Amino acid sequence: MADDPLNAYTALQKTFAADIGGAANRKAIGLIYSACLSFLKKSGREPLVSLIAGKKYFAFAQGKKVSRAVNSELFVGDAREWTAFDAALQRKKLSSFSPERITQIIYSVAISFCAFIDLTKEGDQKTPGTFFEYLISHLFAWRLGVNPTRRIQVLNLDMETNLPTDFIFNLGKDRPKFHLPIKTSTRERVIQVWAHQRVLDGVFGTGRFLGTPVILAETKTDRRKREVIEICLPDQWRIYQMHIAQLKRIYYLDVPATYGKLNEVFPPINVTSFGQFFFEADKLSA
Amino acid sequence: MADDPLNAYTALQKTFAADIGGAANRKAIGLIYSACLSFLKKSGREPLVSLIAGKKYFAFAQGKKVSRAVNSELFVGDAREWTAFDAALQRKKLSSFSPERITQIIYSVAISFCAFIDLTKEGDQKTPGTFFEYLISHLFAWRLGVNPTRRIQVLNLDMETNLPTDFIFNLGKDRPKFHLPIKTSTRERVIQVWAHQRVLDGVFGTGRFLGTPVILAETKTDRRKREVIEICLPDQWRIYQMHIAQLKRIYYLDVPATYGKLNEVFPPINVTSFGQFFFEADKLSA
């Protein structure tokens, strides 16, 4: 259980693609999580000043290194929670789990690995991003009962090509297909998510793909002042949703306060916590 | 003349925004160029193996550091060429310059600064990118006779907001407005350019903004094998042009062979060298 997190991660990398939604990947993710928790238990915790109303953050610290901000209410840090969740997924019975608890568990797995990399590598954004893709695409595949692809064939009159995409889940005829971009944070690059949705709408017809990006958080820490803020561009999101394409849901593990309010404007953009997906996935095509 | 390129660049940074299309910026760019040339004359040149038909590349080298690939036919390396170009722009008479010569001059200025940064900094993509933005936005502003803005007010029923954009040139009523993204290379991030054009089309109406991105090159060097390739995604460009928005021109300083061929497919995407812009700018709205 107390293996090196990076060894456990390398093992997942090797076998991940074989069956993305399969139980072996969930077991491997559990090993990474408990290895990260063992590592983080030996690290210190530093309080951060949260400038976000109603949210508290801290950072893991080791020597001179400080991790990204960790949401105190979402972080569980108990490997048994993942074990219980794993067992429930295995039995295909999630009724004893609330959306909030699921969000906490998945957030804790994701942020533990991010914090481990923050404390052991220099400026490595790619490894946490790839792990987060593994974690979320596995859970999506489990929930939808089908493995994703990352390219899609385009036949268009005299044109035939393969378009690289984010994760695409094809549930079959007369059922929705899902378009799943996965990001640890978005900033100004988020316009790509809407643009890819637009391409899918244009090539295959509007409504065929449900766009459901999953994002970890939008926090940014001022290292010197130890202050945490959320970088949000809600007006730009509204313009993208009105003028580029329609995303069905935007799931966060740590929902930014400002984006949560987009549910209340008109036309609304549906921003919610990822735990909800497990209970509403079948209703999204309605 | 033999000032440090970085000092000359810092001086440009301080004064650039005051009058983007003004002669002072062109003079400052000339100082940076000659300082870079002095620096590069003291560096070695290493031949590269070009895997691109009809193009030759080399790299500047100093100690263990090697610059990005430089196109041998486009690189002039003569500060007097910029001086002559500067004088012609000052007189507003470009008739003695061919589009090819203008492309060579601007390419040389841009790639000299890139090579200087490659040889003196570690993994710094931002500084060359910003300098390239200065260079191109200045020349665009000179040619169009108006300075650009980088945000645009959106009034949409009960919504009022400022949208950050690439460079926007407003030529006034009954004349085209230009949407100018500037990139040293694009790769998969290029979808952003089409997405921003789509937003402008959607918010203000199709045809109001002419999308004319300017890109330096798409070369990639394999450090170990010393081989140069161009990374191009022509099929994806066609899909973006058909399904996201219409770009009017895509200007390159070093036109990638594969993208040049997009002029010949139907529907065509107009990809050409940036020198052409100086002679066709008035005709682009037709």
Side-chain angles (χ1 to χ4, degrees), chain A residues 71-145:
Chain A
N71 184 312
S72 313
E73 317 227 311
L74 288 173
F75 183 73
V76 190
D78 183 345
R80 287 169 301 183
E81 277 291 279
W82 178 262
T83 308
F85 184 51
D86 179 11
L89 294 180
Q90 197 62 35
R91 288 193 309 272
K92 300 191 190 298
K93 270 193 84 102
L94 276 179
S95 48
S96 63
F97 284 79
S98 67
E100 292 73 23
R101 188 175 164 204
I102 294 178
T103 301
Q104 283 180 327
I105 293 170
I106 300 168
Y107 176 81
S108 302
V109 173
I111 206 80
S112 297
F113 188 77
C114 291
F116 161 71
I117 294 291
D118 291 344
L119 295 181
T120 54
K121 303 274 178 185
E122 200 63 59
D124 182 356
Q125 294 302 324
K126 191 165 182 287
T127 309
T130 306
F131 175 72
F132 191 59
E133 283 188 356
Y134 290 155
L135 174 64
I136 301 303
S137 61
H138 163 74
L139 292 168
F140 240 78
W142 175 87
R143 181 61 184 82
L144 297 177

Side-chain angles (χ1 to χ4, degrees), chain B:
Chain B
M1 288 294 270
D3 196 8
D4 175 59
L6 218 50
N7 286 344
Y9 172 72
T10 309
L12 175 64
Q13 270 193 308
K14 279 186 191 137
T15 57
F16 182 76
D19 178 11
I20 290 179
N25 281 342
R26 206 157 52 247
K27 185 158 178 287
I29 289 167
L31 291 176
I32 295 169
Y33 182 37
S34 59
C36 286
L37 288 180
S38 302
F39 175 87
L40 294 174
K41 267 181 197 125
K42 290 176 272 170
S43 311
R45 289 191 188 195
E46 287 198 6
L48 296 173
V49 180
S50 167
L51 302 185
I52 310 151
K55 290 193 183 189
K56 287 182 190 150
Y57 287 90
F58 70 91
F60 288 103
Q62 205 170 74
K64 282 188 180 169
K65 294 216 172 195
V66 179
S67 79
R68 68 193 66 192
V70 179
N71 184 313
S72 313
E73 317 228 311
L74 289 173
F75 183 74
V76 190
D78 182 346
R80 288 169 301 182
E81 277 290 280
W82 178 263
T83 309
F85 184 51
D86 179 9
L89 294 180
Q90 197 61 37
R91 289 193 309 270
K92 299 190 192 299
K93 270 193 84 102
L94 275 181
S95 48
S96 63
F97 284 79
S98 67
E100 292 73 23
R101 188 173 164 204
I102 294 177
T103 302
Q104 283 180 327
I105 293 170
I106 300 168
Y107 176 81
S108 302
V109 173
I111 208 80
S112 297
F113 188 77
C114 292
F116 162 70
I117 294 292
D118 292 344
L119 294 181
T120 55
K121 303 274 179 185
E122 201 63 59
D124 180 357
Q125 295 300 324
K126 193 165 180 289
T127 309
T130 306
F131 175 71
F132 191 59
E133 283 187 357
Y134 290 156
L135 175 63
I136 301 302
S137 61
H138 163 74
L139 292 169
F140 239 79
W142 175 85
R143 181 60 184 83
L144 298 177
V146 54
N147 281 328
T149 55
R150 298 209 65 173
R151 46 182 57 247
I152 194 160
Q153 200 186 16
V154 177
L155 297 168
N156 184 357
L157 297 175
D158 46 6
M159 194 176 176
E160 181 180 345
T161 187
N162 267 295
L163 188 68
T165 61
D166 297 299
F167 294 91
I168 294 290
F169 296 82
N170 187 348
L171 272 59
K173 195 166 165 1
D174 290 328
R175 296 189 63 201
K177 302 177 201 311
F178 284 82
H179 165 221
L180 171 65
I182 302 173
K183 315 267 179 200
T184 53
S185 74
T186 67
R187 309 283 193 274
E188 65 289 340
R189 290 170 290 116
V190 75
I191 195 170
Q192 290 185 13
V193 173
W194 271 275
H196 283 126
Q197 182 66 37
R198 167 101 204 151
V199 167
L200 293 171
D201 289 353
V203 172
F204 300 105
T206 304
R208 297 267 274 167
F209 283 86
L210 304 179
T212 54
V214 178
I215 307 158
L216 178 55
E218 301 289 3
T219 54
K220 187 180 158 77
T221 309
D222 182 316
R223 289 283 171 100
R224 200 176 49 78
K225 296 186 188 165
R226 303 265 191 240
E227 287 175 354
V228 185
I229 55 168
E230 286 177 332
I231 299 190
C232 294
L233 312 162
D235 284 346
Q236 289 174 50
W237 279 33
R238 297 190 66 192
I239 288 172
Y240 300 159
Q241 181 84 349
M242 285 193 269
H243 291 291
I244 302 179
Q246 298 268 307
L247 297 176
K248 187 71 183 182
R249 285 284 186 282
I250 300 173
Y251 292 113
Y252 272 96
L253 274 310
D254 182 5
V255 183
T258 310
Y259 288 149
K261 288 182 194 142
L262 288 174
N263 292 288
E264 294 152 29
V265 300
F266 189 87
I269 303 180
N270 289 299
V271 183
T272 190
S273 64
F274 183 49
Q276 300 289 345
F277 167 73
F278 291 82
F279 301 94
E280 69 179 11
D282 301 318
K283 296 170 236 158
L284 285 174
S285 58

Side-chain angles (χ1 to χ4, degrees), chain A residues 129-181:
Chain A
T130 306
F131 175 72
F132 191 59
E133 283 188 356
Y134 290 155
L135 174 64
I136 301 303
S137 61
H138 163 74
L139 292 168
F140 240 78
W142 175 87
R143 181 61 184 82
L144 297 177
V146 55
N147 281 328
T149 55
R150 297 209 68 172
R151 46 182 56 246
I152 195 161
Q153 200 187 14
V154 176
L155 298 168
N156 184 356
L157 296 175
D158 47 5
M159 194 177 176
E160 182 179 344
T161 187
N162 267 295
L163 188 69
T165 60
D166 296 299
F167 293 91
I168 294 290
F169 296 82
N170 186 348
L171 273 58
K173 194 164 163 10
D174 291 329
R175 297 188 63 202
K177 302 177 200 311
F178 284 82
H179 165 220
L180 172 65

